[in-house]
Amino acid sequence: MIKAIVSGIGFGLVLTFITGPVFFALIKTSIEKGFHAGVSLALGVVCSDVVFVGAILFGSQYIDVSDHTKVIAGVVGSAILFALGLYYMFKKSEINYENKVPSSADRFGYVLKGFLMCIFNPTLLFHWTVVIGAASTTFLVGTPHRSFHIAVMFLTILIIQFGMDTLKAFYANKLRARISVKFIHRLNEVAGIALIIASLVLIDKLVTHFLFAAPAGS
């Protein structure tokens, strides 16, 4: 039990400090729209993590997905990431200096944005695959209560990640009064470029192979 918790804390801290499109989006949203909006976005990220973990741990046992289907899903995902990137790059910048609490509909929108941004990001899938592999070697087959220990480890990771993302949103929100609309516009552009690059990398891995070779056996 203690080993599972300690391992979960370690992996959670490592994953939460990996900089990517989601990191920029979380900071940007917290500065631009306030703490509550940032936390809602972080909740959507956690929901996508739950889907990733569940799909990797349990889905592969019952569902056989063909390579062609994986390519189609990847292309659709890259298109969504690309569209989000363009949206951020050309979005009008504004700052909610009054820190108004968003409505229920707005909160759901931020949750959905965080979920979609992560669920179509292949980098996060790779990260979770690595973590699951590490968990399998930490708690080998035959270990007493193995499934329970792995579940505790992943629950700890998710709690740590959500807690750290909430902390990021809190401190980003505190900086809001010192940040200009022009800075937010630049941050939007960075987040948009990061999303577009992620979409192009995914397309190249799946279809064009200019920089990345096709997977073996495809």
Side-chain angles (χ1 to χ4, degrees):
M1 178 76 169
I2 299 300
K3 183 179 181 181
I5 294 175
V6 172
S7 298
I9 292 174
F11 279 112
L13 290 174
V14 170
L15 289 174
T16 196
F17 284 110
I18 294 176
T19 303
V22 178
F23 173 83
F24 291 111
L26 176 63
I27 299 299
K28 176 195 87 61
T29 300
S30 302
I31 294 174
E32 189 176 12
K33 299 298 183 181
F35 172 73
H36 299 281
V39 172
S40 298
L41 187 78
L43 182 60
V45 173
V46 170
C47 291
S48 70
D49 289 337
V50 172
V51 172
F52 273 135
V53 173
I56 296 173
L57 285 178
F58 305 109
S60 59
Q61 300 179 24
Y62 306 104
I63 303 174
D64 184 17
V65 181
S66 67
D67 291 337
H68 180 66
T69 302
K70 291 178 182 178
V71 170
I72 293 176
V75 170
V76 172
S78 66
I80 292 175
L81 288 177
F82 190 86
L84 282 173
L86 289 178
Y87 170 75
Y88 275 135
M89 289 188 68
F90 296 103
K91 178 186 176 185
K92 181 180 178 181
S93 301
E94 57 183 19
I95 300 179
N96 172 20
Y97 288 108
E98 297 178 5
N99 197 23
K100 295 179 181 178
V101 177
S103 65
S104 298
D106 288 337
R107 286 193 181 189
F108 176 76
Y110 292 124
V111 172
L112 184 62
K113 183 185 295 184
F115 179 82
L116 292 177
M117 193 180 300
C118 291
I119 206 69
F120 293 110
N121 189 340
T123 304
L124 295 180
L125 178 59
F126 171 75
H127 290 161
W128 281 115
T129 303
V130 171
V131 173
I132 289 172
S136 299
T137 57
T138 302
F139 303 102
L140 298 174
V141 176
T143 302
H145 309 294
R146 180 174 183 263
S147 297
F148 173 75
H149 284 100
I150 291 178
V152 169
M153 176 180 167
F154 279 104
L155 179 61
T156 304
I157 292 174
L158 294 175
I159 291 173
I160 291 295
Q161 282 194 277
F162 182 69
M164 294 302 295
D165 284 345
T166 300
L167 201 60
K168 293 175 192 174
F170 175 79
Y171 282 107
N173 175 66
K174 289 295 183 183
L175 294 173
R176 212 152 25 93
R178 303 179 182 180
I179 292 177
S180 66
V181 173
K182 183 177 180 180
F183 177 82
I184 287 295
H185 179 67
R186 294 288 178 254
L187 199 58
N188 276 340
E189 289 180 334
V190 171
I193 291 171
L195 285 168
I196 290 173
I197 290 175
S199 70
L200 295 178
V201 168
L202 179 56
I203 280 291
D204 190 56
K205 285 183 176 180
L206 293 173
V207 181
T208 57
H209 309 304
F210 289 125
L211 297 177
F212 299 93
S218 62

